[in-house]
Coordinates of all heavy atoms in Angstrom, one line a residue:
Chain E
R201 N -55.2 9.9 9.5 CA -56.4 9.5 10.3 C -57.0 10.8 10.9 O -56.3 11.8 11.2 CB -56.0 8.5 11.4 CG -55.3 9.1 12.6 CD -55.3 8.1 13.8 NE -54.4 8.6 14.8 CZ -53.1 8.3 15.1 NH1 -52.6 7.3 14.3 NH2 -52.5 8.8 16.1
G202 N -58.3 10.7 11.0 CA -59.0 11.8 11.5 C -58.9 13.0 10.5 O -58.7 12.8 9.3
D203 N -59.0 14.3 11.1 CA -59.0 15.4 10.2 C -58.1 16.4 10.9 O -58.5 17.1 11.9 CB -60.5 15.9 10.1 CG -60.5 17.2 9.3 OD1 -59.5 17.8 9.0 OD2 -61.7 17.6 9.0
V204 N -56.9 16.6 10.3 CA -56.0 17.6 11.0 C -56.5 19.0 11.1 O -56.2 19.6 12.1 CB -54.5 17.5 10.4 CG1 -53.8 16.3 10.8 CG2 -54.6 17.7 8.9
N205 N -57.2 19.4 10.1 CA -57.6 20.8 10.1 C -58.6 21.0 11.2 O -58.6 22.0 12.0 CB -58.3 21.2 8.7 CG -57.2 21.2 7.6 OD1 -56.1 21.5 7.9 ND2 -57.6 20.9 6.4
K206 N -59.5 20.0 11.5 CA -60.4 20.1 12.6 C -59.6 20.1 13.9 O -59.9 20.9 14.8 CB -61.3 18.8 12.5 CG -62.5 18.9 13.5 CD -63.5 17.8 13.1 CE -64.0 17.1 14.4 NZ -63.2 16.0 15.0
G207 N -58.6 19.3 13.9 CA -57.8 19.2 15.1 C -57.1 20.5 15.4 O -57.0 20.9 16.5
F208 N -56.6 21.1 14.4 CA -55.9 22.4 14.6 C -56.9 23.5 15.1 O -56.6 24.3 15.9 CB -55.1 22.8 13.4 CG -53.8 22.0 13.1 CD1 -53.6 21.4 11.9 CD2 -52.9 21.8 14.2 CE1 -52.5 20.6 11.7 CE2 -51.7 21.0 13.9 CZ -51.6 20.4 12.7
A209 N -58.0 23.4 14.5 CA -59.1 24.4 14.9 C -59.5 24.2 16.3 O -59.7 25.2 17.0 CB -60.3 24.2 14.0
E210 N -59.4 23.0 16.9 CA -59.7 22.7 18.3 C -58.6 23.1 19.2 O -58.8 23.2 20.4 CB -60.1 21.3 18.5 CG -61.4 20.8 17.9 CD -61.5 19.3 17.8 OE1 -60.6 18.6 18.3 OE2 -62.4 18.9 17.1
A211 N -57.4 23.3 18.7 CA -56.2 23.5 19.5 C -56.2 24.9 20.2 O -56.7 25.8 19.5 CB -55.0 23.2 18.8
D212 N -55.6 24.9 21.4 CA -55.4 26.3 22.0 C -54.0 26.8 21.5 O -53.8 28.0 21.4 CB -55.4 26.2 23.5 CG -56.8 25.9 24.0 OD1 -57.8 26.5 23.5 OD2 -56.9 25.0 24.9
V213 N -53.2 25.9 21.3 CA -51.8 26.3 20.8 C -51.4 25.4 19.6 O -51.6 24.2 19.6 CB -50.8 26.1 21.9 CG1 -49.4 26.4 21.3 CG2 -51.0 27.0 23.1
V214 N -51.0 26.0 18.5 CA -50.5 25.3 17.4 C -49.1 25.8 17.2 O -48.8 27.0 17.1 CB -51.3 25.6 16.1 CG1 -50.7 24.8 14.9 CG2 -52.8 25.1 16.4
L215 N -48.1 24.8 17.0 CA -46.7 25.2 16.7 C -46.3 24.4 15.5 O -46.7 23.3 15.2 CB -45.8 24.7 17.8 CG -46.0 25.4 19.2 CD1 -45.0 24.8 20.2 CD2 -45.8 26.9 19.1
E216 N -45.5 25.1 14.7 CA -44.9 24.5 13.5 C -43.5 24.8 13.4 O -43.1 25.9 13.5 CB -45.7 25.0 12.3 CG -45.3 24.3 11.0 CD -46.1 24.7 9.8 OE1 -47.2 25.3 10.0 OE2 -45.7 24.5 8.6
T217 N -42.7 23.7 13.3 CA -41.3 23.8 13.3 C -40.6 22.9 12.3 O -41.1 21.8 12.0 CB -40.7 23.4 14.7 OG1 -41.5 24.1 15.7 CG2 -39.3 23.9 14.9
E218 N -39.6 23.4 11.7 CA -38.7 22.5 10.8 C -37.6 22.0 11.6 O -36.9 22.7 12.4 CB -38.3 23.4 9.6 CG -39.4 23.7 8.7 CD -38.9 24.4 7.4 OE1 -37.7 24.3 7.1 OE2 -39.7 25.1 6.8
Y219 N -37.2 20.7 11.3 CA -36.2 20.1 12.0 C -35.3 19.4 10.9 O -35.8 19.0 9.8 CB -36.7 19.0 12.9 CG -37.5 19.5 14.0 CD1 -38.9 19.6 13.9 CD2 -36.9 19.9 15.2 CE1 -39.7 20.0 14.9 CE2 -37.7 20.4 16.2 CZ -39.1 20.5 16.2 OH -39.8 20.9 17.2
R220 N -34.1 19.1 11.2 CA -33.2 18.3 10.3 C -32.2 17.5 11.2 O -31.7 17.9 12.1 CB -32.4 19.3 9.4 CG -31.4 18.5 8.5 CD -30.6 19.4 7.6 NE -29.5 18.8 7.1 CZ -29.4 18.0 6.1 NH1 -30.5 17.6 5.4 NH2 -28.3 17.5 5.7
T221 N -32.1 16.3 10.7 CA -31.0 15.4 11.3 C -30.1 15.1 10.2 O -30.5 14.9 9.1 CB -31.6 14.1 11.9 OG1 -32.4 13.4 10.9 CG2 -32.4 14.4 13.2
E222 N -28.8 15.0 10.5 CA -27.8 14.8 9.6 C -27.6 13.3 9.2 O -28.2 12.5 10.0 CB -26.4 15.3 10.1 CG -26.4 16.8 10.1 CD -26.3 17.5 8.7 OE1 -26.1 16.8 7.7 OE2 -26.6 18.7 8.6
C223 N -26.9 13.0 8.2 CA -26.6 11.7 7.8 C -25.5 11.0 8.7 O -24.5 11.7 8.9 CB -26.2 11.6 6.4 SG -25.7 9.9 5.8
L224 N -25.8 9.9 9.3 CA -24.8 9.3 10.1 C -24.3 8.0 9.5 O -25.0 7.3 8.8 CB -25.5 8.9 11.5 CG -25.3 9.9 12.6 CD1 -25.7 11.3 12.2 CD2 -26.2 9.4 13.8
I225 N -23.1 7.6 9.8 CA -22.4 6.4 9.3 C -22.3 5.4 10.4 O -22.0 5.8 11.6 CB -21.0 6.7 8.7 CG1 -21.1 7.9 7.7 CG2 -20.4 5.5 8.1 CD1 -21.9 7.6 6.4

Side-chain angles (χ1 to χ4, degrees):
Chain E
R201 73 167 173 262
D203 177 349
V204 285
N205 292 332
K206 188 170 142 272
F208 288 127
E210 286 164 11
D212 293 315
V213 172
V214 176
L215 295 178
E216 184 171 343
T217 315
E218 287 184 22
Y219 298 93
R220 174 177 162 85
T221 53
E222 289 290 344
C223 175
L224 265 48
I225 307 292

